[in-house]
Amino acid sequence: MAVQCQPFTCFHTIHGTNVRIDPSGTQATRVESFANGICFSREPLEPGQLFLVEIEEKEFGWCGHLRIGLIARDPRSLDIVPEYSLPDLVNQGESWIFAITRNHNRVLPDDEENRSRSGKGFLSDPYLKVGKFQIPRDKLFARSRPGRFSHILDDLYKTNVLPPTARRSRIGVLYEPQADGTCNMHIIINGEDMGASARGIPGTQPLYAVIDVFASTKSVRVIQLQYGFPSLQTLCRLVIQKHMIHRLAIDWLDLPQLLKNFCKYE
């Protein structure tokens, strides 16, 4: 099933002392130090609703990256927002949070991993499927800016998938209810499901997203998602990409420049 249309999503007014939220409520920036950057979703998430952010700004010189997860407590009930999500917030209980790393590993079971890699391929499916939920891929991933020799120097250029911790990378969290009344938490990185990062989460309490703007991650912005059918434009892009060796090959096609740019995520 496709996720139903969700309301405008933004950050909660409760957050760490070093975070500033912009007037729209969608951008969170850590203004000093490397910690006290914890943010929450303003509303609890619905089942299958993805809370997605894009890394807008990095701050080099710190060790560590974005942290993301869920909390089964209303942020207003916190006496104080702790300095760190790991371990401080997790140690308070009812929180499930993971650190994003440059080479973040998937945690899918072997049988599901094999099915996912033997299917049509990452670019040929317009939906991200998490259990019974289907989310259009349109806004789930961004792309790096191409360089003149990108196709020669960087193997990633063939698919142009950004490293999880890179600027413009898009990272989100959702939960999937289970038959026994519990929930599984899934972390989504650039349109790819990392699997059930946490299992057995009680399904009786509202679950809020947690975003820790930590260390080298300085600023993130909430990406508003449109659930439903992918656009015809997106479907055309998927067909074109399926037959390309790498993104530079799109420039050789006899297509309008605007369509080429769209196919290259520019």
Side-chain angles (χ1 to χ4, degrees):
M1 63 178 287
V3 180
Q4 298 300 313
C5 182
Q6 299 293 343
F8 180 80
T9 55
C10 62
F11 290 113
H12 207 288
T13 55
I14 303 297
H15 52 74
T17 56
N18 284 340
V19 168
R20 298 296 179 268
I21 307 295
D22 78 336
S24 72
T26 62
Q27 184 187 49
T29 303
R30 196 186 66 255
V31 294
E32 60 179 284
S33 184
F34 64 93
N36 282 303
I38 297 176
C39 305
F40 307 95
S41 60
R42 185 178 66 180
E43 307 292 342
L45 303 183
E46 298 292 334
Q49 179 188 357
L50 179 63
F51 191 88
L52 183 70
V53 298
E54 178 176 312
I55 298 174
E56 284 204 327
E57 188 177 350
K58 304 280 291 183
E59 185 173 42
F60 299 104
W62 301 115
C63 181
H65 305 281
L66 181 79
R67 296 166 173 183
I68 190 170
L70 297 171
I71 183 171
R73 300 169 61 187
D74 188 326
R76 291 172 295 186
S77 69
L78 297 172
D79 294 331
I80 187 172
V81 178
E83 185 175 7
Y84 303 102
S85 58
L86 291 170
D88 298 2
L89 187 59
V90 170
N91 286 345
Q92 294 183 16
E94 300 181 298
S95 297
W96 302 265
I97 299 168
F98 288 81
I100 302 301
T101 61
R102 180 177 174 82
N103 300 300
H104 203 86
N105 294 323
R106 305 175 76 194
V107 292
L108 295 178
D110 291 340
D111 58 342
E112 190 173 349
E113 175 81 11
N114 292 334
R115 286 198 303 272
S116 68
R117 296 196 181 280
S118 61
K120 297 180 180 179
F122 176 72
L123 291 174
S124 62
D125 191 343
Y127 290 102
L128 168 69
K129 297 180 176 66
V130 181
K132 64 180 180 180
F133 299 105
Q134 293 189 142
I135 307 172
R137 293 188 186 272
D138 296 52
K139 294 187 177 181
L140 299 189
F141 46 89
R143 288 294 186 256
S144 60
R145 299 296 184 187
R148 182 178 179 183
F149 300 107
S150 297
H151 63 300
I152 299 173
L153 301 177
D154 189 355
D155 289 338
L156 288 174
Y157 192 81
K158 294 179 180 178
T159 55
N160 196 36
V161 176
L162 287 167
T165 58
R167 190 174 67 85
R168 302 185 75 230
S169 185
R170 293 185 176 182
I171 301 171
V173 63
L174 60 80
Y175 68 90
E176 177 196 8
Q178 303 298 297
D180 62 0
T182 65
C183 300
N184 291 347
M185 181 180 81
H186 289 251
I187 293 174
I188 311 300
I189 300 179
N190 291 320
E192 186 175 13
D193 179 14
M194 296 293 107
S197 302
R199 301 175 184 271
I201 297 174
T204 56
Q205 296 173 270
L207 294 170
Y208 292 78
V210 179
I211 304 292
D212 190 354
V213 188
F214 179 71
S216 65
T217 303
K218 184 173 179 62
S219 181
V220 299
R221 181 177 294 277
V222 178
I223 302 298
Q224 305 299 325
L225 298 177
Q226 296 178 346
Y227 299 98
F229 295 106
S231 66
L232 179 60
Q233 197 176 28
T234 295
L235 294 175
C236 290
R237 175 169 62 189
L238 292 171
V239 172
I240 292 171
Q241 289 175 332
K242 185 179 179 181
H243 295 87
M244 294 293 101
I245 300 172
H246 52 70
R247 192 168 57 166
L248 279 184
I250 294 174
D251 287 327
W252 306 335
L253 299 176
D254 186 17
L255 295 173
Q257 189 59 48
L258 287 177
L259 180 55
K260 291 181 184 179
N261 293 344
F262 179 76
C263 290
K264 295 186 294 182
Y265 296 92
E266 295 178 8

mmCIF file of all heavy atoms in Angstrom, residues 121-136:
data_model
loop_
_atom_site.group_PDB
_atom_site.id
_atom_site.type_symbol
_atom_site.label_atom_id
_atom_site.label_comp_id
_atom_site.label_asym_id
_atom_site.label_seq_id
_atom_site.Cartn_x
_atom_site.Cartn_y
_atom_site.Cartn_z
ATOM 1 N N GLY A 121 16.512 -3.676 -10.134
ATOM 2 C CA GLY A 121 17.598 -2.709 -9.971
ATOM 3 C C GLY A 121 17.114 -1.457 -9.277
ATOM 4 O O GLY A 121 15.934 -1.124 -9.263
ATOM 5 N N PHE A 122 18.085 -0.730 -8.713
ATOM 6 C CA PHE A 122 17.762 0.431 -7.884
ATOM 7 C C PHE A 122 17.023 1.510 -8.659
ATOM 8 O O PHE A 122 16.065 2.091 -8.181
ATOM 9 C CB PHE A 122 19.073 0.984 -7.317
ATOM 10 C CG PHE A 122 18.902 2.229 -6.513
ATOM 11 C CD1 PHE A 122 18.314 2.180 -5.264
ATOM 12 C CD2 PHE A 122 19.331 3.448 -6.996
ATOM 13 C CE1 PHE A 122 18.166 3.327 -4.503
ATOM 14 C CE2 PHE A 122 19.190 4.601 -6.249
ATOM 15 C CZ PHE A 122 18.599 4.538 -5.003
ATOM 16 N N LEU A 123 17.459 1.784 -9.905
ATOM 17 C CA LEU A 123 16.892 2.905 -10.650
ATOM 18 C C LEU A 123 15.624 2.552 -11.397
ATOM 19 O O LEU A 123 14.931 3.435 -11.876
ATOM 20 C CB LEU A 123 17.935 3.439 -11.643
ATOM 21 C CG LEU A 123 19.141 4.142 -11.011
ATOM 22 C CD1 LEU A 123 20.155 4.494 -12.081
ATOM 23 C CD2 LEU A 123 18.709 5.392 -10.260
ATOM 24 N N SER A 124 15.309 1.246 -11.562
ATOM 25 C CA SER A 124 14.173 0.864 -12.393
ATOM 26 C C SER A 124 12.866 0.811 -11.622
ATOM 27 O O SER A 124 11.810 0.663 -12.230
ATOM 28 C CB SER A 124 14.450 -0.495 -13.043
ATOM 29 O OG SER A 124 14.609 -1.494 -12.051
ATOM 30 N N ASP A 125 12.896 0.910 -10.314
ATOM 31 C CA ASP A 125 11.680 0.841 -9.514
ATOM 32 C C ASP A 125 11.336 2.243 -9.001
ATOM 33 O O ASP A 125 12.116 2.833 -8.264
ATOM 34 C CB ASP A 125 11.880 -0.115 -8.333
ATOM 35 C CG ASP A 125 10.566 -0.436 -7.631
ATOM 36 O OD1 ASP A 125 9.578 0.307 -7.833
ATOM 37 O OD2 ASP A 125 10.526 -1.422 -6.881
ATOM 38 N N PRO A 126 10.176 2.786 -9.372
ATOM 39 C CA PRO A 126 9.834 4.151 -8.934
ATOM 40 C C PRO A 126 9.443 4.241 -7.470
ATOM 41 O O PRO A 126 9.276 5.342 -6.954
ATOM 42 C CB PRO A 126 8.654 4.514 -9.839
ATOM 43 C CG PRO A 126 8.028 3.194 -10.172
ATOM 44 C CD PRO A 126 9.172 2.218 -10.276
ATOM 45 N N TYR A 127 9.276 3.121 -6.789
ATOM 46 C CA TYR A 127 8.878 3.127 -5.391
ATOM 47 C C TYR A 127 9.958 2.531 -4.497
ATOM 48 O O TYR A 127 10.654 1.583 -4.869
ATOM 49 C CB TYR A 127 7.608 2.299 -5.174
ATOM 50 C CG TYR A 127 6.360 2.905 -5.749
ATOM 51 C CD1 TYR A 127 5.831 2.442 -6.951
ATOM 52 C CD2 TYR A 127 5.694 3.941 -5.090
ATOM 53 C CE1 TYR A 127 4.670 2.983 -7.477
ATOM 54 C CE2 TYR A 127 4.537 4.487 -5.616
ATOM 55 C CZ TYR A 127 4.031 4.008 -6.805
ATOM 56 O OH TYR A 127 2.888 4.552 -7.331
ATOM 57 N N LEU A 128 10.072 3.087 -3.309
ATOM 58 C CA LEU A 128 10.789 2.433 -2.223
ATOM 59 C C LEU A 128 9.757 1.619 -1.455
ATOM 60 O O LEU A 128 8.735 2.157 -1.027
ATOM 61 C CB LEU A 128 11.434 3.461 -1.293
ATOM 62 C CG LEU A 128 11.975 2.906 0.027
ATOM 63 C CD1 LEU A 128 13.192 2.035 -0.230
ATOM 64 C CD2 LEU A 128 12.316 4.029 0.994
ATOM 65 N N LYS A 129 10.000 0.350 -1.269
ATOM 66 C CA LYS A 129 9.058 -0.541 -0.589
ATOM 67 C C LYS A 129 9.619 -0.929 0.765
ATOM 68 O O LYS A 129 10.722 -1.472 0.862
ATOM 69 C CB LYS A 129 8.776 -1.777 -1.440
ATOM 70 C CG LYS A 129 8.114 -1.472 -2.777
ATOM 71 C CD LYS A 129 7.872 -2.739 -3.576
ATOM 72 C CE LYS A 129 7.122 -2.439 -4.881
ATOM 73 N NZ LYS A 129 7.921 -1.623 -5.806
ATOM 74 N N VAL A 130 8.870 -0.626 1.801
ATOM 75 C CA VAL A 130 9.213 -1.018 3.172
ATOM 76 C C VAL A 130 8.009 -1.766 3.725
ATOM 77 O O VAL A 130 7.008 -1.167 4.103
ATOM 78 C CB VAL A 130 9.548 0.197 4.053
ATOM 79 C CG1 VAL A 130 9.926 -0.268 5.465
ATOM 80 C CG2 VAL A 130 10.669 1.020 3.455
ATOM 81 N N GLY A 131 8.097 -3.094 3.725
ATOM 82 C CA GLY A 131 6.942 -3.886 4.121
ATOM 83 C C GLY A 131 5.776 -3.633 3.172
ATOM 84 O O GLY A 131 5.911 -3.726 1.951
ATOM 85 N N LYS A 132 4.631 -3.275 3.723
ATOM 86 C CA LYS A 132 3.449 -3.015 2.895
ATOM 87 C C LYS A 132 3.385 -1.577 2.399
ATOM 88 O O LYS A 132 2.482 -1.224 1.642
ATOM 89 C CB LYS A 132 2.187 -3.324 3.693
ATOM 90 C CG LYS A 132 1.975 -2.424 4.905
ATOM 91 C CD LYS A 132 0.711 -2.802 5.647
ATOM 92 C CE LYS A 132 0.487 -1.893 6.871
ATOM 93 N NZ LYS A 132 -0.744 -2.248 7.591
ATOM 94 N N PHE A 133 4.341 -0.757 2.805
ATOM 95 C CA PHE A 133 4.328 0.657 2.428
ATOM 96 C C PHE A 133 5.140 0.893 1.156
ATOM 97 O O PHE A 133 6.194 0.290 0.961
ATOM 98 C CB PHE A 133 4.877 1.525 3.564
ATOM 99 C CG PHE A 133 4.086 1.419 4.831
ATOM 100 C CD1 PHE A 133 4.571 0.703 5.907
ATOM 101 C CD2 PHE A 133 2.834 2.022 4.941
ATOM 102 C CE1 PHE A 133 3.840 0.594 7.076
ATOM 103 C CE2 PHE A 133 2.099 1.920 6.110
ATOM 104 C CZ PHE A 133 2.595 1.197 7.179
ATOM 105 N N GLN A 134 4.625 1.795 0.313
ATOM 106 C CA GLN A 134 5.319 2.195 -0.906
ATOM 107 C C GLN A 134 5.464 3.714 -0.924
ATOM 108 O O GLN A 134 4.483 4.431 -0.776
ATOM 109 C CB GLN A 134 4.543 1.756 -2.151
ATOM 110 C CG GLN A 134 4.477 0.252 -2.324
ATOM 111 C CD GLN A 134 3.889 -0.128 -3.673
ATOM 112 O OE1 GLN A 134 4.332 -1.078 -4.308
ATOM 113 N NE2 GLN A 134 2.904 0.611 -4.128
ATOM 114 N N ILE A 135 6.690 4.180 -1.113
ATOM 115 C CA ILE A 135 6.964 5.616 -1.110
ATOM 116 C C ILE A 135 7.648 5.963 -2.430
ATOM 117 O O ILE A 135 8.688 5.382 -2.760
ATOM 118 C CB ILE A 135 7.879 6.007 0.059
ATOM 119 C CG1 ILE A 135 7.304 5.494 1.386
ATOM 120 C CG2 ILE A 135 8.080 7.520 0.110
ATOM 121 C CD1 ILE A 135 8.231 5.653 2.570
ATOM 122 N N PRO A 136 7.104 6.894 -3.225
ATOM 123 C CA PRO A 136 7.772 7.280 -4.467
ATOM 124 C C PRO A 136 9.187 7.777 -4.205
ATOM 125 O O PRO A 136 9.445 8.508 -3.262
ATOM 126 C CB PRO A 136 6.871 8.408 -5.011
ATOM 127 C CG PRO A 136 5.527 8.115 -4.431
ATOM 128 C CD PRO A 136 5.810 7.570 -3.057
#
